Amino acid sequence: MEASVYAVKSKSGFGLQSRRLLPSGADLRKQSLVFGASGVGMTKRNNCWGLSVVSSSMGTRGSVRGLFGLSAKARSVRVQASEGDVEDVAPAKIQVKSSGSVLPYVGVACLGAILFGYHLGVVNGALEYLAKDLGIAENTVLQGWIVSTLLAGATVGSFTGGSLADKFGRTKTFVLDAIPLAVGAFLCATAQSIEAMIIGRLLAGIGIGISSAIVPLYISEISPTEIRGTLGSVNQLFICIGILAALVAGLPLAGNPLWWRTMFGIAVIPSVLLALGMAFSPESPRWLYQQGRTSDAEVSIKRLFGKERVAEVMSDLDAASRGSSEPEAGWFDLFSSRYWKVVSVGAALFLFQQLAGINAVVYYSTAVFRSAGITSDVAASALVGAANVFGTTVASSLMDKQGRKSLLLTSFAGMAASMMLLSLGFTWKALAPYSGPLAVLGTVLYVLSFSLGAGPVPALLLPEIFASRIRAKAVALSLGMHWISNFVIGLYFLSIVNKFGISTVYLGFASVCLLAVMYIAGNVVETKGRSLEEIERALNPAI
């Protein structure tokens, strides 16, 4: 299960200056920004950087008059960040009705997310049957290779995806990605030997690794600011749908043992549709602008947002690049003092996501449900999958209302509580008569909590906080951390459980979740309601 497993940019009503590095909570409390305002209809608002702002209801542009407590001129309003304040209202902006639409192109990109989830889930039901067909029913080592080769390929693909997206563009990378996805699925479906199956799984893994990097990247760069959170979380929703589709696809196996070949072959169809759809989809205007193709960027903006917003979005892109003629970043630039702090946040979020135990919980859920008297593997998987889809759907509706940071905090706190409940259910004698129902309740609550924030938010948040010149590579690096930790947990989880016991392991997961809450509270900033260029200017100003 991806643990991971899932807005037109408006011009700001004021200029925003900030420190180069990602600000901590302490930094924000020390800073005060002074915004000049003109016009009438002054209303108090909150912006997503933790600052109370007084802005004109007419959306007149103000100016930053000072930082760190400098005085303001007349008619300017000084604002101070309040401790622990998570903002939920974006600055007032004039919204222009768009005649374009991004939804069809987000839908095409989400074919990559569906394939991501499908390839992750398809082997669970098919493994027993393909092992018999290929003559490895007694060889658990080779069966393990069939499962883990996908994760190894995904690790390679996630790092490759960033470089391909920077070199060839987002849409062409999708088209290229369809090749290993389709060929890998075909090889798995027609495999007559274990070697062919492993090669097919490796190619499919490379494909989903590339998808894991470029789907959230592309969606974030083409989405209107006001609904970027909702559209970004759709990525995780479609991953969950892909996993559920794989579970449903396995239902005929009991009556037809050779159905496993059809299960793998089905994945060829969305792979081809992905390539065809992306061949006709607009390229990311931000990538085009970076390449100096301004006229192409304008055409792309017109298709996505409508001709009414071309000037507005181009103005924002101009403002984001003003004073900077820096070339495209290399891999080593990610570790420079300028970018490392924000890059480390991305890597840490995916590391916490995995070490919090989502895949381990899913791997062990069948045994947990059996202890509660639920003997059907399909029923157990369906319950977990349904909880994940439901939670992700709720998260999609809240992403642009509650914000990314608050959902992350709520999610990891809920996961910690659920893990403690699971651990107590296994060890506390007073709860022994209720251990089965408590185990099921704890597992479902854990998956729900995960799907509210820890699942969808990192893939959405990272393209937002990374500067445009490092965005593709930084997303790829963070997702590489995800796949490596996913692989290690899958490899050693059962051994650790056998040595320490499932209760102790769950308690360890709860501790990781609590550490994540503290880390997020001090290092992650809220990004809802801010355009990508505004975020970039605040976190990574040009040098």
Side-chain angles (χ1 to χ4, degrees), residues 410-466:
T410 302
S411 176
F412 276 105
M415 291 159 67
S418 302
M419 278 297 181
M420 290 178 183
L421 179 62
L422 283 166
S423 182
L424 288 175
F426 281 112
T427 57
W428 202 359
K429 292 182 179 179
L431 297 176
Y434 314 102
S435 60
L438 284 176
V440 173
L441 178 63
T443 300
V444 172
L445 287 177
Y446 177 89
V447 173
L448 275 173
S449 297
F450 171 84
S451 61
L452 282 174
V457 171
L460 165 66
L461 182 67
L462 302 196
E464 294 181 326
I465 65 174
F466 294 145

Side-chain angles (χ1 to χ4, degrees), residues 130-482:
L130 72 86
K132 291 178 181 177
D133 199 14
L134 299 179
I136 58 169
E138 305 300 324
N139 193 330
T140 56
V141 174
L142 287 178
Q143 292 181 40
W145 273 104
I146 290 174
V147 174
S148 59
T149 299
L150 184 84
L151 301 179
T155 303
V156 174
S158 65
F159 285 109
T160 306
S163 297
L164 290 175
D166 277 341
K167 184 174 180 62
F168 300 109
R170 292 20 173 173
T171 55
K172 287 183 179 178
T173 301
F174 272 110
V175 175
L176 291 172
D177 184 35
I179 297 173
L181 285 170
V183 174
F186 178 78
L187 286 177
C188 290
T190 59
Q192 300 298 323
S193 65
I194 187 63
E195 292 82 6
M197 174 59 68
I198 288 177
I199 292 173
R201 290 286 284 174
L202 180 65
L203 288 173
I206 292 173
I208 69 170
I210 295 173
S211 293
S212 70
I214 61 174
V215 172
L217 176 67
Y218 180 70
I219 292 176
S220 71
E221 290 189 340
I222 69 168
S223 295
T225 299
E226 60 269 18
I227 57 170
R228 191 176 63 238
T230 297
L231 294 182
S233 58
V234 166
N235 172 49
Q236 177 71 11
L237 178 61
F238 275 93
I239 290 172
C240 298
I241 291 173
I243 294 171
L244 273 181
L247 296 174
V248 172
L251 293 178
L253 279 169
N256 181 7
L258 293 180
W259 179 255
W260 69 268
R261 293 186 180 276
T262 304
M263 291 172 65
F264 282 101
I266 288 172
V268 174
I269 298 173
S271 302
V272 174
L273 291 176
L274 176 65
L276 292 175
M278 276 298 160
F280 296 98
S281 296
E283 181 55 80
S284 162
R286 290 172 172 87
W287 182 81
L288 290 170
Y289 187 90
Q290 280 183 284
Q291 306 304 307
R293 297 165 56 182
T294 54
S295 60
D296 290 335
E298 290 175 353
V299 172
S300 181
I301 294 167
K302 184 177 180 180
R303 289 181 65 186
L304 291 167
F305 308 142
K307 62 181 180 181
E308 304 86 357
R309 308 192 77 160
V310 172
E312 177 187 5
V313 177
M314 287 300 295
S315 176
D316 284 329
L317 292 172
D318 287 337
S321 64
R322 192 170 297 136
S324 173
S325 57
E326 298 173 89
E328 178 184 300
W331 284 102
F332 288 110
D333 290 325
L334 303 184
F335 303 97
S336 66
S337 58
R338 180 183 181 189
Y339 293 122
W340 171 241
K341 190 169 185 180
V342 71
V343 170
S344 67
V345 169
L349 286 179
F350 274 113
L351 186 62
F352 278 125
Q353 182 192 70
Q354 291 300 298
L355 294 181
I358 180 60
N359 285 326
V361 168
V362 173
Y363 297 153
Y364 206 70
S365 63
T366 300
V368 169
F369 289 147
R370 283 176 181 168
S371 71
I374 301 175
T375 57
S376 171
D377 292 355
V378 175
S381 299
L383 187 57
V384 170
N388 200 16
V389 171
F390 175 75
T392 306
T393 303
V394 173
S396 297
S397 66
L398 296 177
M399 201 69 68
D400 288 308
K401 297 176 182 177
Q402 299 301 318
R404 287 62 150 159
K405 183 174 181 178
S406 62
L407 285 178
L408 277 176
L409 292 171
T410 302
S411 176
F412 276 105
M415 291 159 67
S418 302
M419 278 297 181
M420 290 178 183
L421 179 62
L422 283 166
S423 182
L424 288 175
F426 281 112
T427 57
W428 202 359
K429 292 182 179 179
L431 297 176
Y434 314 102
S435 60
L438 284 176
V440 173
L441 178 63
T443 300
V444 172
L445 287 177
Y446 177 89
V447 173
L448 275 173
S449 297
F450 171 84
S451 61
L452 282 174
V457 171
L460 165 66
L461 182 67
L462 302 196
E464 294 181 326
I465 65 174
F466 294 145
S468 57
R469 68 185 297 263
I470 68 165
R471 186 172 293 139
K473 289 184 176 67
V475 169
L477 177 67
S478 301
L479 282 161
M481 177 66 70
H482 156 73

